Amino acid sequence: MAPTTEKRSKKRSAPAATGPKSKKVQLDTSERPVDKGKKRSRPVTLPVEEQDELGSEVSEEEEELGGALEEAGESSQAAKDAARVSHKEQKALQDQRKASKPHSALLAEAKRAWSLAHRKDISKDERTKHVHALMDIIRGQVKDIVLKHDASRIVQTVVKHGGQKERNEIALELKGKYKELAQNKYSKFLVTKLIRLCPSHRASILQEFNGSILRLLLHREATSVLADAFELYANAYERSLLLRDFYGKEATLFSLTAGSVEEKDRSKKGLKGLLEGADQERRRRLMKALKENIVTIFNNSDKGAVSHAIVHRALWEYLMAVNDLEDVAEAEKLRRELFETCQEDLAEMVHTKDGSRVVREFIAQGTAKDRKHIIKTIKPHVERMCKDDEAQLVLFSALDIIDDTKLTAKSLVSDITASASSLYTSPQGRRSLIYLVSPRTRRHFTPAQISLLAETDAVRAKTSKKDDQLRTEEIRKAASEPLLSWVAEKGAEIARDPGGSLVVGEIMLYAEGGTYHWSIHRANPHDQHIR
């Protein structure tokens, strides 16, 4: 009898009870334009979860849509007949109300074209065709419909995916209405997109805000428009247009920021350009107006404007003007008043270039009591500051300037070393660890960073009494024991990381404590590479 052969079934196994797996849609991204929008620097006082949500495209659309996403859900299959009839009646009533509103036919036609233009699974050529069709529908009517939440998104789609011709056309149509648009919950995103994508119209858009900059900074919706424009997209001349309101009405009415090249170059200097050639009385009036406007912003700190780079620039310009005063007593008085105004909000400022410089100047010029207050203010945010390029310079200046090394060791050094495991994985965090044992080393700090840190050296020589070398050695000694303990415990793991090996090398070369060198070898006798 011939041997029987088993035939293996080639059928697939039955699908699970939950149903077949959904297929993933393969999107053609080869020709799709990538929208690489910049993001503002974030205050170190914000929680990580809240920080990740700010400024994203998703959050913009969610804020515009509001509760519309919840209303768009599919109706339940098990709904009762009476509920269905009621729903149909409500739908008919809703359509009737929409039809009675102005531009209802235009919006209905635009929505049909928009539903095709903003799809993600179409080619670039096909999207361009739909965008041109959409532009033909809304051309000449943009100013009338842009304040509506659904129409605002339609116009944003044209600006985002259209060509420069369509963008400039929309920018011209909206001329004269940008201040109103910036204060609207939905159209504020369109203003930001036009500022970013229409550089030829940027100056004219920003000029429409003149005379209302301070009020817009304290406005819930408009504040983000000005903050993005100043920090991300404006050049030096365009920033001067936004800063001019800080200098008071006299500067707004009698200073020129447009015209000849010389006038524009002078306006780029900000307050320093205005004070050039001014008599003593005019200098006093301009500085007084700037100070009053800064105080107004900080007295309304709950509005969120104290964390914006434009406010920090105005603050830095005022502080530099105070330092240039010939009367030392008056300069000290004005500096003291400014510090008392913003001392509670210093942690909101360290994440920008000018804000970091202001805080470092306060540390250098302040008394022992002032420095202690600054340390107390920033202490809850030390770990986040270590990971920020600008904020960490404040920590480094505090280590370089403050004579009370017991205070800095207890409040700053201990927090930095305690966070070593989370810091060594990023370049900023590694610099924070290395600075404790080898400050301003050219192996890990660029000449630009060292130059920024050296800005306060001249003031430190006048306000700090302890020898610089002695202060550095005391900080290194305070940091050595916890850092060596950290390397002894996790040295093998850290050294396998390319960046971590640099930190381990600096600690082994410059940290003080021979006992720990031996304990590392005893704890890891086979890891000769970390010796």
Side-chain angles (χ1 to χ4, degrees), residues 298-321:
F298 280 91
N299 286 344
N300 294 273
S301 58
D302 57 315
K303 304 293 185 180
V306 295
S307 63
H308 295 338
I310 182 174
V311 177
H312 303 165
R313 173 64 62 84
L315 190 60
W316 173 249
E317 288 185 351
Y318 177 78
L319 193 57
M320 290 299 96

PDB file of all heavy atoms in Angstrom, residues 298-321:
ATOM      1  N   PHE A 298       4.039  93.979  33.679  1.00  0.00           N
ATOM      2  CA  PHE A 298       4.310  93.118  34.833  1.00  0.00           C
ATOM      3  C   PHE A 298       3.219  93.214  35.891  1.00  0.00           C
ATOM      4  O   PHE A 298       3.046  92.270  36.667  1.00  0.00           O
ATOM      5  CB  PHE A 298       5.676  93.457  35.434  1.00  0.00           C
ATOM      6  CG  PHE A 298       6.819  92.846  34.688  1.00  0.00           C
ATOM      7  CD1 PHE A 298       7.438  93.525  33.651  1.00  0.00           C
ATOM      8  CD2 PHE A 298       7.268  91.572  35.004  1.00  0.00           C
ATOM      9  CE1 PHE A 298       8.480  92.948  32.948  1.00  0.00           C
ATOM     10  CE2 PHE A 298       8.318  90.989  34.315  1.00  0.00           C
ATOM     11  CZ  PHE A 298       8.920  91.680  33.279  1.00  0.00           C
ATOM     12  N   ASN A 299       2.486  94.309  35.937  1.00  0.00           N
ATOM     13  CA  ASN A 299       1.346  94.386  36.848  1.00  0.00           C
ATOM     14  C   ASN A 299       0.174  93.540  36.374  1.00  0.00           C
ATOM     15  O   ASN A 299      -0.749  93.275  37.144  1.00  0.00           O
ATOM     16  CB  ASN A 299       0.901  95.843  37.014  1.00  0.00           C
ATOM     17  CG  ASN A 299       1.853  96.646  37.868  1.00  0.00           C
ATOM     18  OD1 ASN A 299       2.689  96.092  38.580  1.00  0.00           O
ATOM     19  ND2 ASN A 299       1.741  97.962  37.801  1.00  0.00           N
ATOM     20  N   ASN A 300       0.221  93.127  35.125  1.00  0.00           N
ATOM     21  CA  ASN A 300      -0.804  92.233  34.562  1.00  0.00           C
ATOM     22  C   ASN A 300      -0.157  90.918  34.139  1.00  0.00           C
ATOM     23  O   ASN A 300      -0.373  90.423  33.032  1.00  0.00           O
ATOM     24  CB  ASN A 300      -1.496  92.895  33.370  1.00  0.00           C
ATOM     25  CG  ASN A 300      -2.296  94.108  33.762  1.00  0.00           C
ATOM     26  OD1 ASN A 300      -3.459  94.017  34.135  1.00  0.00           O
ATOM     27  ND2 ASN A 300      -1.673  95.285  33.680  1.00  0.00           N
ATOM     28  N   SER A 301       0.637  90.361  35.029  1.00  0.00           N
ATOM     29  CA  SER A 301       1.389  89.147  34.706  1.00  0.00           C
ATOM     30  C   SER A 301       0.494  87.955  34.419  1.00  0.00           C
ATOM     31  O   SER A 301       0.919  86.992  33.776  1.00  0.00           O
ATOM     32  CB  SER A 301       2.345  88.806  35.861  1.00  0.00           C
ATOM     33  OG  SER A 301       1.622  88.627  37.074  1.00  0.00           O
ATOM     34  N   ASP A 302      -0.755  87.981  34.908  1.00  0.00           N
ATOM     35  CA  ASP A 302      -1.669  86.877  34.657  1.00  0.00           C
ATOM     36  C   ASP A 302      -2.075  86.795  33.190  1.00  0.00           C
ATOM     37  O   ASP A 302      -2.617  85.766  32.754  1.00  0.00           O
ATOM     38  CB  ASP A 302      -2.920  87.018  35.525  1.00  0.00           C
ATOM     39  CG  ASP A 302      -3.643  88.342  35.301  1.00  0.00           C
ATOM     40  OD1 ASP A 302      -2.947  89.376  35.248  1.00  0.00           O
ATOM     41  OD2 ASP A 302      -4.881  88.335  35.180  1.00  0.00           O
ATOM     42  N   LYS A 303      -1.817  87.826  32.400  1.00  0.00           N
ATOM     43  CA  LYS A 303      -2.160  87.816  30.977  1.00  0.00           C
ATOM     44  C   LYS A 303      -1.167  87.016  30.151  1.00  0.00           C
ATOM     45  O   LYS A 303      -1.431  86.697  28.993  1.00  0.00           O
ATOM     46  CB  LYS A 303      -2.227  89.252  30.443  1.00  0.00           C
ATOM     47  CG  LYS A 303      -3.190  90.161  31.188  1.00  0.00           C
ATOM     48  CD  LYS A 303      -4.635  89.739  31.003  1.00  0.00           C
ATOM     49  CE  LYS A 303      -5.577  90.732  31.663  1.00  0.00           C
ATOM     50  NZ  LYS A 303      -6.989  90.366  31.498  1.00  0.00           N
ATOM     51  N   GLY A 304      -0.010  86.697  30.708  1.00  0.00           N
ATOM     52  CA  GLY A 304       0.956  85.853  30.011  1.00  0.00           C
ATOM     53  C   GLY A 304       1.989  86.588  29.184  1.00  0.00           C
ATOM     54  O   GLY A 304       2.896  85.960  28.630  1.00  0.00           O
ATOM     55  N   ALA A 305       1.898  87.915  29.083  1.00  0.00           N
ATOM     56  CA  ALA A 305       2.830  88.662  28.235  1.00  0.00           C
ATOM     57  C   ALA A 305       4.228  88.731  28.824  1.00  0.00           C
ATOM     58  O   ALA A 305       5.191  89.013  28.092  1.00  0.00           O
ATOM     59  CB  ALA A 305       2.301  90.073  27.993  1.00  0.00           C
ATOM     60  N   VAL A 306       4.392  88.495  30.124  1.00  0.00           N
ATOM     61  CA  VAL A 306       5.720  88.612  30.751  1.00  0.00           C
ATOM     62  C   VAL A 306       6.691  87.554  30.237  1.00  0.00           C
ATOM     63  O   VAL A 306       7.897  87.675  30.426  1.00  0.00           O
ATOM     64  CB  VAL A 306       5.613  88.515  32.289  1.00  0.00           C
ATOM     65  CG1 VAL A 306       4.853  89.683  32.850  1.00  0.00           C
ATOM     66  CG2 VAL A 306       4.970  87.199  32.713  1.00  0.00           C
ATOM     67  N   SER A 307       6.191  86.519  29.583  1.00  0.00           N
ATOM     68  CA  SER A 307       7.070  85.467  29.073  1.00  0.00           C
ATOM     69  C   SER A 307       7.452  85.676  27.615  1.00  0.00           C
ATOM     70  O   SER A 307       8.172  84.858  27.043  1.00  0.00           O
ATOM     71  CB  SER A 307       6.389  84.097  29.215  1.00  0.00           C
ATOM     72  OG  SER A 307       5.211  84.036  28.431  1.00  0.00           O
ATOM     73  N   HIS A 308       7.014  86.785  26.988  1.00  0.00           N
ATOM     74  CA  HIS A 308       7.266  87.017  25.570  1.00  0.00           C
ATOM     75  C   HIS A 308       8.595  87.725  25.355  1.00  0.00           C
ATOM     76  O   HIS A 308       8.984  88.607  26.126  1.00  0.00           O
ATOM     77  CB  HIS A 308       6.141  87.844  24.947  1.00  0.00           C
ATOM     78  CG  HIS A 308       4.817  87.135  24.930  1.00  0.00           C
ATOM     79  ND1 HIS A 308       4.709  85.767  25.009  1.00  0.00           N
ATOM     80  CD2 HIS A 308       3.543  87.602  24.830  1.00  0.00           C
ATOM     81  CE1 HIS A 308       3.433  85.417  24.964  1.00  0.00           C
ATOM     82  NE2 HIS A 308       2.708  86.512  24.868  1.00  0.00           N
ATOM     83  N   ALA A 309       9.249  87.393  24.258  1.00  0.00           N
ATOM     84  CA  ALA A 309      10.562  87.953  23.948  1.00  0.00           C
ATOM     85  C   ALA A 309      10.504  89.448  23.692  1.00  0.00           C
ATOM     86  O   ALA A 309      11.472  90.170  23.963  1.00  0.00           O
ATOM     87  CB  ALA A 309      11.158  87.244  22.736  1.00  0.00           C
ATOM     88  N   ILE A 310       9.385  89.952  23.177  1.00  0.00           N
ATOM     89  CA  ILE A 310       9.280  91.386  22.889  1.00  0.00           C
ATOM     90  C   ILE A 310       9.333  92.203  24.183  1.00  0.00           C
ATOM     91  O   ILE A 310       9.953  93.267  24.238  1.00  0.00           O
ATOM     92  CB  ILE A 310       7.979  91.679  22.096  1.00  0.00           C
ATOM     93  CG1 ILE A 310       7.901  93.169  21.771  1.00  0.00           C
ATOM     94  CG2 ILE A 310       6.743  91.224  22.846  1.00  0.00           C
ATOM     95  CD1 ILE A 310       6.721  93.517  20.876  1.00  0.00           C
ATOM     96  N   VAL A 311       8.731  91.692  25.254  1.00  0.00           N
ATOM     97  CA  VAL A 311       8.781  92.380  26.548  1.00  0.00           C
ATOM     98  C   VAL A 311      10.191  92.327  27.116  1.00  0.00           C
ATOM     99  O   VAL A 311      10.696  93.301  27.680  1.00  0.00           O
ATOM    100  CB  VAL A 311       7.767  91.753  27.527  1.00  0.00           C
ATOM    101  CG1 VAL A 311       7.850  92.408  28.903  1.00  0.00           C
ATOM    102  CG2 VAL A 311       6.348  91.868  26.977  1.00  0.00           C
ATOM    103  N   HIS A 312      10.862  91.200  26.939  1.00  0.00           N
ATOM    104  CA  HIS A 312      12.222  91.053  27.453  1.00  0.00           C
ATOM    105  C   HIS A 312      13.186  91.981  26.707  1.00  0.00           C
ATOM    106  O   HIS A 312      14.132  92.502  27.304  1.00  0.00           O
ATOM    107  CB  HIS A 312      12.674  89.596  27.320  1.00  0.00           C
ATOM    108  CG  HIS A 312      11.777  88.633  28.022  1.00  0.00           C
ATOM    109  ND1 HIS A 312      11.808  87.267  27.796  1.00  0.00           N
ATOM    110  CD2 HIS A 312      10.791  88.828  28.938  1.00  0.00           C
ATOM    111  CE1 HIS A 312      10.887  86.677  28.536  1.00  0.00           C
ATOM    112  NE2 HIS A 312      10.272  87.596  29.234  1.00  0.00           N
ATOM    113  N   ARG A 313      12.947  92.187  25.398  1.00  0.00           N
ATOM    114  CA  ARG A 313      13.800  93.115  24.653  1.00  0.00           C
ATOM    115  C   ARG A 313      13.630  94.540  25.176  1.00  0.00           C
ATOM    116  O   ARG A 313      14.617  95.278  25.367  1.00  0.00           O
ATOM    117  CB  ARG A 313      13.449  93.042  23.169  1.00  0.00           C
ATOM    118  CG  ARG A 313      14.142  94.092  22.295  1.00  0.00           C
ATOM    119  CD  ARG A 313      15.665  93.917  22.286  1.00  0.00           C
ATOM    120  NE  ARG A 313      16.020  92.641  21.742  1.00  0.00           N
ATOM    121  CZ  ARG A 313      16.132  92.383  20.423  1.00  0.00           C
ATOM    122  NH1 ARG A 313      15.921  93.351  19.548  1.00  0.00           N
ATOM    123  NH2 ARG A 313      16.472  91.181  20.014  1.00  0.00           N
ATOM    124  N   ALA A 314      12.393  94.947  25.404  1.00  0.00           N
ATOM    125  CA  ALA A 314      12.149  96.288  25.945  1.00  0.00           C
ATOM    126  C   ALA A 314      12.792  96.437  27.325  1.00  0.00           C
ATOM    127  O   ALA A 314      13.377  97.480  27.652  1.00  0.00           O
ATOM    128  CB  ALA A 314      10.646  96.558  26.020  1.00  0.00           C
ATOM    129  N   LEU A 315      12.709  95.399  28.136  1.00  0.00           N
ATOM    130  CA  LEU A 315      13.297  95.419  29.474  1.00  0.00           C
ATOM    131  C   LEU A 315      14.812  95.528  29.401  1.00  0.00           C
ATOM    132  O   LEU A 315      15.440  96.289  30.158  1.00  0.00           O
ATOM    133  CB  LEU A 315      12.871  94.149  30.220  1.00  0.00           C
ATOM    134  CG  LEU A 315      13.164  94.048  31.712  1.00  0.00           C
ATOM    135  CD1 LEU A 315      12.473  95.163  32.475  1.00  0.00           C
ATOM    136  CD2 LEU A 315      12.706  92.690  32.242  1.00  0.00           C
ATOM    137  N   TRP A 316      15.428  94.788  28.476  1.00  0.00           N
ATOM    138  CA  TRP A 316      16.883  94.827  28.331  1.00  0.00           C
ATOM    139  C   TRP A 316      17.347  96.194  27.835  1.00  0.00           C
ATOM    140  O   TRP A 316      18.363  96.727  28.307  1.00  0.00           O
ATOM    141  CB  TRP A 316      17.328  93.727  27.373  1.00  0.00           C
ATOM    142  CG  TRP A 316      18.780  93.760  27.019  1.00  0.00           C
ATOM    143  CD1 TRP A 316      19.331  94.060  25.814  1.00  0.00           C
ATOM    144  CD2 TRP A 316      19.883  93.489  27.891  1.00  0.00           C
ATOM    145  NE1 TRP A 316      20.696  93.991  25.868  1.00  0.00           N
ATOM    146  CE2 TRP A 316      21.063  93.644  27.136  1.00  0.00           C
ATOM    147  CE3 TRP A 316      19.991  93.135  29.228  1.00  0.00           C
ATOM    148  CZ2 TRP A 316      22.322  93.452  27.683  1.00  0.00           C
ATOM    149  CZ3 TRP A 316      21.255  92.941  29.781  1.00  0.00           C
ATOM    150  CH2 TRP A 316      22.395  93.104  29.009  1.00  0.00           C
ATOM    151  N   GLU A 317      16.621  96.789  26.894  1.00  0.00           N
ATOM    152  CA  GLU A 317      16.995  98.103  26.394  1.00  0.00           C
ATOM    153  C   GLU A 317      16.926  99.150  27.505  1.00  0.00           C
ATOM    154  O   GLU A 317      17.793 100.030  27.596  1.00  0.00           O
ATOM    155  CB  GLU A 317      16.079  98.503  25.227  1.00  0.00           C
ATOM    156  CG  GLU A 317      16.337  97.721  23.953  1.00  0.00           C
ATOM    157  CD  GLU A 317      15.498  98.237  22.797  1.00  0.00           C
ATOM    158  OE1 GLU A 317      14.612  99.085  23.041  1.00  0.00           O
ATOM    159  OE2 GLU A 317      15.726  97.795  21.657  1.00  0.00           O
ATOM    160  N   TYR A 318      15.913  99.053  28.340  1.00  0.00           N
ATOM    161  CA  TYR A 318      15.794 100.010  29.452  1.00  0.00           C
ATOM    162  C   TYR A 318      16.936  99.817  30.442  1.00  0.00           C
ATOM    163  O   TYR A 318      17.526 100.796  30.926  1.00  0.00           O
ATOM    164  CB  TYR A 318      14.449  99.812  30.153  1.00  0.00           C
ATOM    165  CG  TYR A 318      14.257 100.711  31.353  1.00  0.00           C
ATOM    166  CD1 TYR A 318      13.921 102.048  31.197  1.00  0.00           C
ATOM    167  CD2 TYR A 318      14.433 100.222  32.652  1.00  0.00           C
ATOM    168  CE1 TYR A 318      13.748 102.886  32.291  1.00  0.00           C
ATOM    169  CE2 TYR A 318      14.268 101.047  33.750  1.00  0.00           C
ATOM    170  CZ  TYR A 318      13.934 102.371  33.571  1.00  0.00           C
ATOM    171  OH  TYR A 318      13.771 103.185  34.654  1.00  0.00           O
ATOM    172  N   LEU A 319      17.271  98.572  30.734  1.00  0.00           N
ATOM    173  CA  LEU A 319      18.340  98.309  31.702  1.00  0.00           C
ATOM    174  C   LEU A 319      19.675  98.814  31.179  1.00  0.00           C
ATOM    175  O   LEU A 319      20.494  99.351  31.947  1.00  0.00           O
ATOM    176  CB  LEU A 319      18.398  96.810  31.980  1.00  0.00           C
ATOM    177  CG  LEU A 319      19.233  96.339  33.175  1.00  0.00           C
ATOM    178  CD1 LEU A 319      18.763  97.009  34.456  1.00  0.00           C
ATOM    179  CD2 LEU A 319      19.171  94.827  33.313  1.00  0.00           C
ATOM    180  N   MET A 320      19.923  98.654  29.867  1.00  0.00           N
ATOM    181  CA  MET A 320      21.171  99.159  29.286  1.00  0.00           C
ATOM    182  C   MET A 320      21.208 100.695  29.317  1.00  0.00           C
ATOM    183  O   MET A 320      22.266 101.291  29.528  1.00  0.00           O
ATOM    184  CB  MET A 320      21.323  98.656  27.858  1.00  0.00           C
ATOM    185  CG  MET A 320      21.612  97.169  27.751  1.00  0.00           C
ATOM    186  SD  MET A 320      23.172  96.688  28.564  1.00  0.00           S
ATOM    187  CE  MET A 320      22.586  96.140  30.186  1.00  0.00           C
ATOM    188  N   ALA A 321      20.059 101.337  29.086  1.00  0.00           N
ATOM    189  CA  ALA A 321      20.009 102.797  29.163  1.00  0.00           C
ATOM    190  C   ALA A 321      20.273 103.281  30.586  1.00  0.00           C
ATOM    191  O   ALA A 321      20.922 104.309  30.797  1.00  0.00           O
ATOM    192  CB  ALA A 321      18.655 103.299  28.671  1.00  0.00           C
TER     193      ALA A 321
END
